[in-house]
Amino acid sequence: MGNAEEMHGWTVKMSTPSVLAVVTVFSMIPGGVLSDMRGAQGLETQQLAQGSTHLHRRLRRGWIWKQLFVPEEDPTPRVIGQLKSDSDRGEFSIKYVLSGEGAGDAFEIDEYSGEIRTLKKLDREEKAFYILQAQAINRRSNEPEEPQSEFIIKVQDINDNVPQFQNEPYVSSIPEMCPTGTTVAQVTATDADDPMFGNNAKLIYSILQGEPYFSVEPKTGIVVTSWPNMDREAREQYLVVVQVKDMLGLSGGYSSSTTVTVSLTDVNDNGPTFQHHLYTFAVPEDAQVGTTVGRIMAEDGDVGINAKMTYSLEDDLEESSTFIIETDPTTQEGVVLLAKPLDYESKRRFVMAAEAVNDHVDTRFLNLDEFSDRTTLKIVVEDVDEPPVFLSPAYEWKVPENAAVGSEVGSVSARDTDTVNNPIRYSIDKRSDATKAFKIDPNNGTITVAKALDRETSNWHNVTVEAKETSQNHLSSSVVVFIKVLDINDNVPRLARDYQPYICEGTQAGELIQLLSAVDPDDPVEGHHFYFSMVPEKHINPNFTIRDNQDNTAGIVARRSTFTRKDRTQYVLPVVVADSGSPALSSTSTLTITVCSCQPAGHCPTGGVEALALSMGLSLQTLLGILICLVTLTADLLS
């Protein structure tokens, strides 16, 4: 095998508070593994038996020492171990050097003795271990006596951290009446201590506040219900205090606590309940339809949708639907409203049943009939002093226009509908009868004619009659009386207009000269029928005749054909017009018929002007010249 290997190694003394251990570590063949002392002694014995003259040094590479331990949070500097080279004979010829993490800051080595000591207290949670390198150097040659070796100093955990709850605050909600064992929430705590060393980070949960309603699973921190049928209406919120301890709850450990706010959500486990068996309201008889009579309320311990309810009314047998009830969506009250007019004198009291029913029911908690309740409503109608009421909303009468003053036209009647039945006095509103054609008896309401009537002046009279109580309040009401004035035949018929008939010189006998019509202010029921005739004479008129057309018109007809202006320029013809009244009335109108020279078309161009000229003995041209001069002179004077 050649030269025998030299045997070298490190000796490490590890100091702990309770144990002092000595570990001797030898250098190994490259690529080999750590051998114990027996293996090393066997190797040395074998080499000596083979007669090796010297040992070759074979430097070990990458040697890693076993871990050294130092307790955390120890403020006192102390020796935690000692490195010693086999070459160290106690002559201080070996210099020990320490490098790596924490060297010179957290740890130092005595360069003569190889003792490793701490320089300050360490925090495992800040740094759990340190990797360092050790080297032994010959002071004379300044050469490494041993190869550099690496080892670990591990900071040993102590229970110096309090467990901390995560994700606070804890807020949870569960439905009321939920079964025992319902999960409420899970609380979670962590501990910065070493979970692999002892029980320092072994946590356990318990309830400090909240029993007997809640409990917690010791290992998982799951909070569950432990009390059956918790009622939100009795208590809506709970504060559950959960404690966590490390060291499995043993004495000497740390603890902390957190609060879980637990709210009970509502379920429909309550039905509506009326607090009174009878509700009494009063309403005046003159209240308008839609008036709020009163409000009733069925209490429901639930909230939200579970408290919503609908009210209904069941009228008594004497009256139907005089009142209705609606649900106020904000207050959940039942609002009783007037649906029909009231009359104290007809009905003074109403009694009916009211029912409240939940809109949403849940038969898991109550029977179906428990989601409703009934009560009784009594509504009293109050008497109100009301104005008189006329027996008719309007009156319409007829009176002939020749009715004598004092004639009775008709009677109005009003009464006080109140129980006291006050006396009534009547009067006519002067504004409605400006002509004062009528008057009324203030005691019995009889209307009579006060002055002569004329249908042709006013055929309708709209009179307002007022009825007033004689009581202190003097309440009154009014009614309109329509009086129609009936026609009598008190007007003579007359020709419809001022006729100016003419006859042409060439007119033949039997030709129509003028068509006549008549008017009469009267208005007979059967309509007008006029009769036209000439004034009776001893001798028949040889020139003209009246032909009655039997349609309220008549025609003037020529009786001969020899009319000329030279013979005569004008004729006078009286015309009699009679009506069909009883008695019949007539009038006579005298018409002047002018003879003129007509155009071929049959028109008289100058009408009565030509006839006037002939009657004055002047020619037509002369008369027209005079008229033109007069017009010119008038224009000059006006300018």
Tab-separated table of all heavy atoms in Angstrom, residues 591-626:
chain	number	residue	atom	x	y	z
A	591	LEU	N	-149.514	97.613	-49.322
A	591	LEU	CA	-148.370	97.570	-50.220
A	591	LEU	C	-148.587	98.542	-51.372
A	591	LEU	O	-149.720	98.694	-51.873
A	591	LEU	CB	-148.173	96.155	-50.763
A	591	LEU	CG	-147.938	95.052	-49.725
A	591	LEU	CD1	-147.749	93.711	-50.429
A	591	LEU	CD2	-146.717	95.371	-48.871
A	592	THR	N	-147.499	99.193	-51.817
A	592	THR	CA	-147.533	100.073	-52.989
A	592	THR	C	-146.895	99.338	-54.152
A	592	THR	O	-145.708	98.971	-54.085
A	592	THR	CB	-146.781	101.385	-52.719
A	592	THR	OG1	-147.401	102.052	-51.613
A	592	THR	CG2	-146.828	102.268	-53.946
A	593	ILE	N	-147.686	99.131	-55.227
A	593	ILE	CA	-147.193	98.412	-56.398
A	593	ILE	C	-146.888	99.448	-57.475
A	593	ILE	O	-147.769	100.224	-57.885
A	593	ILE	CB	-148.217	97.403	-56.902
A	593	ILE	CG1	-148.577	96.412	-55.776
A	593	ILE	CG2	-147.684	96.644	-58.111
A	593	ILE	CD1	-149.683	95.455	-56.148
A	594	THR	N	-145.635	99.471	-57.918
A	594	THR	CA	-145.173	100.466	-58.883
A	594	THR	C	-145.160	99.864	-60.284
A	594	THR	O	-144.728	98.711	-60.465
A	594	THR	CB	-143.752	100.954	-58.517
A	594	THR	OG1	-143.790	101.480	-57.189
A	594	THR	CG2	-143.285	102.017	-59.485
A	595	VAL	N	-145.600	100.697	-61.270
A	595	VAL	CA	-145.542	100.272	-62.670
A	595	VAL	C	-144.263	100.834	-63.271
A	595	VAL	O	-143.957	102.017	-63.108
A	595	VAL	CB	-146.770	100.785	-63.455
A	595	VAL	CG1	-146.704	100.331	-64.922
A	595	VAL	CG2	-148.055	100.304	-62.804
A	596	CYS	N	-143.510	99.981	-63.943
A	596	CYS	CA	-142.233	100.447	-64.516
A	596	CYS	C	-142.018	99.797	-65.869
A	596	CYS	O	-142.664	98.806	-66.210
A	596	CYS	CB	-141.079	100.156	-63.590
A	596	CYS	SG	-140.701	98.403	-63.418
A	597	SER	N	-141.048	100.421	-66.588
A	597	SER	CA	-140.670	99.873	-67.886
A	597	SER	C	-139.561	98.859	-67.646
A	597	SER	O	-138.456	99.215	-67.229
A	597	SER	CB	-140.193	100.997	-68.811
A	597	SER	OG	-139.747	100.456	-70.033
A	598	CYS	N	-139.850	97.660	-67.865
A	598	CYS	CA	-138.897	96.582	-67.496
A	598	CYS	C	-137.958	96.247	-68.643
A	598	CYS	O	-138.291	96.462	-69.817
A	598	CYS	CB	-139.676	95.344	-67.092
A	598	CYS	SG	-140.683	95.583	-65.615
A	599	GLN	N	-136.839	95.742	-68.345
A	599	GLN	CA	-135.863	95.247	-69.297
A	599	GLN	C	-136.370	93.947	-69.908
A	599	GLN	O	-137.327	93.324	-69.382
A	599	GLN	CB	-134.519	94.997	-68.585
A	599	GLN	CG	-133.907	96.252	-67.993
A	599	GLN	CD	-133.473	97.242	-69.056
A	599	GLN	OE1	-133.078	96.862	-70.174
A	599	GLN	NE2	-133.601	98.529	-68.748
A	600	PRO	N	-135.707	93.516	-71.009
A	600	PRO	CA	-136.163	92.255	-71.622
A	600	PRO	C	-136.157	91.082	-70.653
A	600	PRO	O	-136.973	90.168	-70.746
A	600	PRO	CB	-135.173	92.049	-72.775
A	600	PRO	CG	-134.719	93.424	-73.117
A	600	PRO	CD	-134.675	94.189	-71.838
A	601	ALA	N	-135.230	91.112	-69.711
A	601	ALA	CA	-135.160	90.003	-68.755
A	601	ALA	C	-136.262	90.074	-67.729
A	601	ALA	O	-136.408	89.191	-66.895
A	601	ALA	CB	-133.796	89.989	-68.061
A	602	GLY	N	-137.013	91.170	-67.732
A	602	GLY	CA	-138.137	91.283	-66.824
A	602	GLY	C	-137.844	92.069	-65.583
A	602	GLY	O	-138.650	92.079	-64.662
A	603	HIS	N	-136.681	92.724	-65.495
A	603	HIS	CA	-136.324	93.475	-64.303
A	603	HIS	C	-136.637	94.942	-64.503
A	603	HIS	O	-136.503	95.471	-65.600
A	603	HIS	CB	-134.838	93.317	-63.973
A	603	HIS	CG	-134.476	91.893	-63.719
A	603	HIS	ND1	-134.927	91.189	-62.630
A	603	HIS	CD2	-133.697	91.026	-64.432
A	603	HIS	CE1	-134.434	89.960	-62.665
A	603	HIS	NE2	-133.677	89.838	-63.770
A	604	CYS	N	-136.992	95.570	-63.416
A	604	CYS	CA	-137.248	97.013	-63.435
A	604	CYS	C	-135.966	97.700	-63.004
A	604	CYS	O	-135.616	97.661	-61.827
A	604	CYS	CB	-138.410	97.349	-62.502
A	604	CYS	SG	-138.869	99.104	-62.505
A	605	PRO	N	-135.218	98.345	-63.962
A	605	PRO	CA	-133.877	98.837	-63.618
A	605	PRO	C	-133.886	99.987	-62.633
A	605	PRO	O	-133.004	100.108	-61.802
A	605	PRO	CB	-133.318	99.266	-64.978
A	605	PRO	CG	-134.526	99.597	-65.787
A	605	PRO	CD	-135.596	98.645	-65.354
A	606	THR	N	-134.840	100.851	-62.725
A	606	THR	CA	-134.806	102.011	-61.845
A	606	THR	C	-135.787	101.891	-60.715
A	606	THR	O	-135.880	102.773	-59.858
A	606	THR	CB	-135.123	103.280	-62.650
A	606	THR	OG1	-136.395	103.104	-63.300
A	606	THR	CG2	-134.060	103.544	-63.679
A	607	GLY	N	-136.491	100.804	-60.678
A	607	GLY	CA	-137.422	100.549	-59.597
A	607	GLY	C	-138.373	101.706	-59.400
A	607	GLY	O	-138.982	102.221	-60.299
A	608	GLY	N	-138.426	102.161	-58.205
A	608	GLY	CA	-139.365	103.209	-57.866
A	608	GLY	C	-138.926	104.586	-58.281
A	608	GLY	O	-139.679	105.542	-58.209
A	609	VAL	N	-137.673	104.745	-58.744
A	609	VAL	CA	-137.192	106.075	-59.146
A	609	VAL	C	-137.958	106.562	-60.370
A	609	VAL	O	-138.404	107.704	-60.461
A	609	VAL	CB	-135.681	106.043	-59.419
A	609	VAL	CG1	-135.209	107.383	-59.928
A	609	VAL	CG2	-134.925	105.633	-58.156
A	610	GLU	N	-138.138	105.677	-61.326
A	610	GLU	CA	-138.854	106.051	-62.542
A	610	GLU	C	-140.292	106.422	-62.224
A	610	GLU	O	-140.845	107.410	-62.720
A	610	GLU	CB	-138.813	104.900	-63.541
A	610	GLU	CG	-139.489	105.223	-64.874
A	610	GLU	CD	-139.426	104.070	-65.848
A	610	GLU	OE1	-139.116	102.930	-65.398
A	610	GLU	OE2	-139.666	104.273	-67.050
A	611	ALA	N	-140.899	105.642	-61.358
A	611	ALA	CA	-142.288	105.949	-60.989
A	611	ALA	C	-142.391	107.283	-60.284
A	611	ALA	O	-143.330	108.049	-60.484
A	611	ALA	CB	-142.829	104.831	-60.100
A	612	LEU	N	-141.379	107.613	-59.482
A	612	LEU	CA	-141.377	108.890	-58.771
A	612	LEU	C	-141.279	110.049	-59.754
A	612	LEU	O	-141.957	111.070	-59.629
A	612	LEU	CB	-140.209	108.935	-57.784
A	612	LEU	CG	-140.032	110.243	-57.008
A	612	LEU	CD1	-141.296	110.531	-56.161
A	612	LEU	CD2	-138.774	110.188	-56.143
A	613	ALA	N	-140.445	109.868	-60.752
A	613	ALA	CA	-140.281	110.938	-61.758
A	613	ALA	C	-141.590	111.165	-62.515
A	613	ALA	O	-141.998	112.300	-62.779
A	613	ALA	CB	-139.153	110.572	-62.733
A	614	LEU	N	-142.238	110.100	-62.897
A	614	LEU	CA	-143.487	110.249	-63.617
A	614	LEU	C	-144.555	110.923	-62.774
A	614	LEU	O	-145.342	111.743	-63.238
A	614	LEU	CB	-143.985	108.879	-64.098
A	614	LEU	CG	-143.115	108.211	-65.185
A	614	LEU	CD1	-143.617	106.796	-65.470
A	614	LEU	CD2	-143.134	109.048	-66.479
A	615	SER	N	-144.578	110.583	-61.506
A	615	SER	CA	-145.588	111.194	-60.633
A	615	SER	C	-145.344	112.680	-60.438
A	615	SER	O	-146.255	113.435	-60.164
A	615	SER	CB	-145.601	110.481	-59.280
A	615	SER	OG	-144.379	110.677	-58.605
A	616	MET	N	-144.086	113.151	-60.628
A	616	MET	CA	-143.757	114.564	-60.463
A	616	MET	C	-143.854	115.313	-61.792
A	616	MET	O	-143.589	116.522	-61.852
A	616	MET	CB	-142.345	114.711	-59.890
A	616	MET	CG	-142.192	114.133	-58.482
A	616	MET	SD	-140.485	114.169	-57.932
A	616	MET	CE	-140.195	115.927	-57.883
A	617	GLY	N	-144.116	114.653	-62.855
A	617	GLY	CA	-144.242	115.306	-64.168
A	617	GLY	C	-142.889	115.611	-64.783
A	617	GLY	O	-142.775	116.477	-65.636
A	618	LEU	N	-141.836	114.965	-64.365
A	618	LEU	CA	-140.479	115.180	-64.884
A	618	LEU	C	-140.041	113.969	-65.673
A	618	LEU	O	-140.485	112.846	-65.437
A	618	LEU	CB	-139.502	115.427	-63.740
A	618	LEU	CG	-139.783	116.621	-62.817
A	618	LEU	CD1	-138.815	116.612	-61.657
A	618	LEU	CD2	-139.700	117.935	-63.598
A	619	SER	N	-139.134	114.288	-66.596
A	619	SER	CA	-138.558	113.152	-67.320
A	619	SER	C	-137.557	112.434	-66.421
A	619	SER	O	-137.037	113.007	-65.467
A	619	SER	CB	-137.862	113.647	-68.603
A	619	SER	OG	-136.739	114.441	-68.253
A	620	LEU	N	-137.300	111.224	-66.782
A	620	LEU	CA	-136.343	110.441	-65.987
A	620	LEU	C	-134.962	111.061	-66.026
A	620	LEU	O	-134.254	111.123	-65.030
A	620	LEU	CB	-136.310	108.999	-66.510
A	620	LEU	CG	-135.329	108.046	-65.790
A	620	LEU	CD1	-135.688	107.928	-64.301
A	620	LEU	CD2	-135.343	106.667	-66.460
A	621	GLN	N	-134.551	111.580	-67.189
A	621	GLN	CA	-133.210	112.157	-67.312
A	621	GLN	C	-133.085	113.399	-66.425
A	621	GLN	O	-132.057	113.635	-65.786
A	621	GLN	CB	-132.933	112.532	-68.782
A	621	GLN	CG	-132.754	111.339	-69.708
A	621	GLN	CD	-134.078	110.722	-70.119
A	621	GLN	OE1	-135.145	111.292	-69.799
A	621	GLN	NE2	-134.005	109.576	-70.801
A	622	THR	N	-134.154	114.189	-66.398
A	622	THR	CA	-134.105	115.404	-65.573
A	622	THR	C	-133.985	115.038	-64.097
A	622	THR	O	-133.189	115.618	-63.355
A	622	THR	CB	-135.363	116.247	-65.813
A	622	THR	OG1	-135.449	116.567	-67.202
A	622	THR	CG2	-135.329	117.512	-64.988
A	623	LEU	N	-134.748	114.047	-63.695
A	623	LEU	CA	-134.689	113.650	-62.278
A	623	LEU	C	-133.320	113.110	-61.904
A	623	LEU	O	-132.774	113.428	-60.838
A	623	LEU	CB	-135.778	112.601	-62.012
A	623	LEU	CG	-135.875	112.105	-60.563
A	623	LEU	CD1	-136.191	113.269	-59.623
A	623	LEU	CD2	-136.955	111.030	-60.427
A	624	LEU	N	-132.718	112.328	-62.770
A	624	LEU	CA	-131.375	111.805	-62.484
A	624	LEU	C	-130.357	112.921	-62.418
A	624	LEU	O	-129.430	112.904	-61.599
A	624	LEU	CB	-130.972	110.781	-63.564
A	624	LEU	CG	-131.752	109.450	-63.550
A	624	LEU	CD1	-131.315	108.573	-64.729
A	624	LEU	CD2	-131.529	108.726	-62.244
A	625	GLY	N	-130.486	113.972	-63.298
A	625	GLY	CA	-129.541	115.085	-63.244
A	625	GLY	C	-129.631	115.807	-61.925
A	625	GLY	O	-128.617	116.224	-61.346
A	626	ILE	N	-130.860	115.993	-61.453
A	626	ILE	CA	-131.032	116.663	-60.145
A	626	ILE	C	-130.360	115.854	-59.029
A	626	ILE	O	-129.662	116.394	-58.172
A	626	ILE	CB	-132.526	116.871	-59.873
A	626	ILE	CG1	-133.135	117.869	-60.887
A	626	ILE	CG2	-132.754	117.364	-58.453
A	626	ILE	CD1	-134.648	117.991	-60.800
